[in-house]
Amino acid sequence: MSGVRFVAIGDSFSEGVGDELPDGRVRGWADIAAQGWADAAGHPIQYANFAIRGKLAWPIVEEQLEPALALGPTHLSFNGGGNDMLRPRADIEHIADTFSRVLRRCDEEGVTLILLSGANPSGQLPMGSLIQRRGDALSAAVLRRVADRPDVVRALNWPDRELSTGAYWSDDRLHMNSNGHHRVAARVLHALGYEPPAEWWSPAERGAGSAGMAYYRQHVGPWMRRRITRTSSGDGRTAKYPTWVERTPQ
C-alpha cells in the first residue's frame, strides 16, 4: 500500500490525552499507529490529526470532518460519543447517526473509513453501570449502521475486557494511559492487515493512581465544575496536526 494519507478526527481518545510525553505534549494511539503503519509498510505515510478533547459527537463532525476531507486523505479514522454518554440525557441513536454521516462523506470522497469504538472505562468510574449500558447501546447502534459494509476497517475496543482493566488507564480513570493507547494502536494496525509489535498488546508495570477522596478532588470535582459552567477541556485548543506531517519508517 503506497501513497497513504491518514487523518484522525475525534475527541480526547483520538487526540491522545493520557499518553503525555516528557515535554508535556500528548501522543496517543493515532500518533503511535501512524508511525507503526509506516514501519510495517516500509514506506512513509502522511498523517494529520484534528481531534480535540472534550468534543461531543456532532461538533466533531461539524467542525472537523470537512477540514479533514479537504486534505485529500486515503484513510480517515473516527470515534466519538464518549463525552455525550457522560451527559444526563444522551440520545444514543442521534449520536450513532454521526457515524452514518462520516461514512457517507467518506464514500462521496473515496476515502476508507477506519471505525473505532472507544475503550470501556465503566468498571472504575462513578455511575459505571450507566456508562456500561450506554456504551453497549452505542456500540450496537453503530454496528447496525455498518453491518453491510465489509470495506469499513473496524477497530473495536469497547468489547476488549483486558483493555478495561486498571493497568491501561490514567489516574483520572477516564482516559487511557500509554499502555492503553499502545493497545488501541495495535488493534488499528491489525485491522489494517499489519502485525504490530507484540509489546503493544501488553502493559508495562504501572503504580496505582489516586483513590478515595483524592480522586474526587483531583478529577471528579474539576469535571463537575466544567459541566456547571458549561465549559470544556477543549475550549481554546486547536488541532495538533491540521496539515500533513510525514512519518517515515524507523
Side-chain angles (χ1 to χ4, degrees), residues 75-86:
H75 296 74
L76 180 144
S77 70
F78 173 55
N79 169 266
N83 292 304
D84 302 72
M85 291 195 305
L86 299 175

Side-chain angles (χ1 to χ4, degrees), residues 92-243:
I92 297 300
E93 294 297 325
H94 185 58
I95 298 168
D97 284 342
T98 59
F99 291 82
S100 298
R101 168 76 68 83
V102 172
L103 179 57
R104 177 176 62 80
R105 288 294 293 123
C106 284
D107 285 345
E108 291 170 351
E109 299 296 328
V111 177
T112 298
L113 175 61
I114 302 174
L115 174 68
L116 292 98
S117 59
N120 182 354
S122 62
Q124 52 216 353
L125 286 178
M127 299 192 302
S129 61
L130 174 63
I131 301 303
Q132 177 75 57
R133 290 194 302 273
R134 288 179 172 178
D136 290 345
L138 179 59
S139 294
V142 171
L143 289 177
R144 286 196 302 273
R145 285 159 169 78
V146 298
D148 61 346
R149 295 295 303 269
D151 56 317
V152 172
V153 177
R154 293 166 171 80
L156 304 180
N157 301 288
W158 186 263
D160 185 349
R161 293 186 179 182
E162 170 68 14
L163 186 55
S164 297
T165 60
Y168 297 92
W169 293 86
S170 298
D171 289 351
D172 67 5
R173 309 181 195 175
L174 190 60
H175 298 100
M176 297 179 300
N177 60 21
S178 182
N179 298 329
H181 281 283
H182 275 84
R183 188 171 175 92
V184 170
R187 177 162 286 114
V188 170
L189 284 188
H190 184 75
L192 290 165
Y194 295 105
E195 190 61 37
E199 63 269 20
W200 288 13
W201 290 107
S202 301
E205 292 295 327
R206 186 173 183 276
S210 56
M213 290 306 299
Y215 167 72
Y216 284 86
R217 285 195 302 270
Q218 295 173 24
H219 303 294
V220 178
W223 181 86
M224 293 181 67
R225 282 194 292 274
R226 289 195 296 273
R227 298 290 72 74
I228 294 169
T229 59
R230 298 190 177 186
T231 58
S232 168
S233 57
D235 287 349
R237 290 185 174 274
T238 57
K240 63 179 180 179
Y241 298 127
T243 58

